[in-house]
Amino acid sequence: AQSVTQLGSHVSVSEGALVLLRCNYSSSVPPYLFWYVQYPNQGLQLLLKYTSAATLVKGINGFEAEFKKSETSFHLTKPSAHMSDAAEYFCAVGRSSGGGNKLTFGTGTQLKVEL
Amino acid sequence: DGGITQSPKYLFRKEGQNVTLSCEQNLNHDAMYWYRQDPGQGLRLIYYSQIVNDFQKGDIAEGYSVSREKKESFPLTVTSAQKNPTAFYLCASGNLDRDNEQFFGPGTRLTVL
């Protein structure tokens, strides 16, 4: 079975400060890992994904994440927060298992960006 | 433009009524998924389908039903047996020969009055 834990349901940062959203996963096989962003009353948009290539993954809007197998982590970072980054962020883990390529999602982290 | 459409955006129903949520994709994806989203609980899988005329239960299938008569369409029916149907419902699709990436529709917010 696979699972995802997102530490911190709410994170608040100042505009221009570092953004760090934490994600730890559990998987019995090498995982695929994803970060999605959701703005209010909208669907999810893919930020970035790890699929066993480079461990440092760059995504859209200046976000990046590093896969650390030893720590079973896939934390999301952005060097300088912008007001437009305020949204909810979801980490997800998946693997091709013949079971429909399902994803397991974390409970989400709401990011607030303050002036 | 390729993508996933869900309709309606907002839906209201009375207790005891069945209601069907639409999901259509023109991405030529084999797999389609329905999720339910509640505050603080992330996304929970209701049903998924890998091929036309076949579908499997997810983690919270009770009180829901689906059909997959066409590759492009995967409607979800919320039945009167669903005890707490008020939620945000998201449809997604993806290719089975890819890396599990799923593409999401804009969602339908269902409110039971």
Side-chain angles (χ1 to χ4, degrees), chain B residues 12 21-23 25 27 45 48 52 60-62 66 68 70 72 77 82 92 111:
Chain B
F12 298 87
L21 283 59
S22 169
C23 178
Q25 56 100 359
L27 300 169
L45 183 65
Y48 64 101
V52 174
I60 56 165
E62 184 176 353
V66 294
R68 187 88 186 275
K70 300 186 300 180
E72 302 79 18
T77 297
Q82 169 52 233
T111 302

Side-chain angles (χ1 to χ4, degrees), chain A residues 30-111:
Chain A
Y32 298 135
L33 292 161
F34 303 83
W35 275 100
Y36 284 88
V37 61
Q38 184 182 34
Y39 298 97
N41 291 311
Q42 295 186 24
L44 275 65
Q45 177 184 6
L46 182 70
L47 273 178
L48 49 80
K49 62 183 177 183
Y50 167 76
T51 58
S52 75
T55 56
L56 182 62
V57 181
K58 294 187 183 298
I60 63 172
N61 301 338
F63 284 93
E64 64 181 36
E66 186 173 8
F67 172 68
K68 293 187 176 180
K69 183 178 179 180
S70 61
E71 299 177 8
T72 61
S73 69
F74 190 56
H75 301 331
L76 182 70
T77 61
K78 181 175 181 178
S80 177
H82 190 272
M83 296 296 289
S84 61
D85 295 326
E88 189 157 22
Y89 293 79
F90 291 94
C91 181
V93 62
R95 56 187 171 87
S96 294
S97 63
N101 287 18
K102 292 183 289 184
L103 292 178
T104 299
F105 286 85
T107 53
T109 297
Q110 188 72 44
L111 176 66

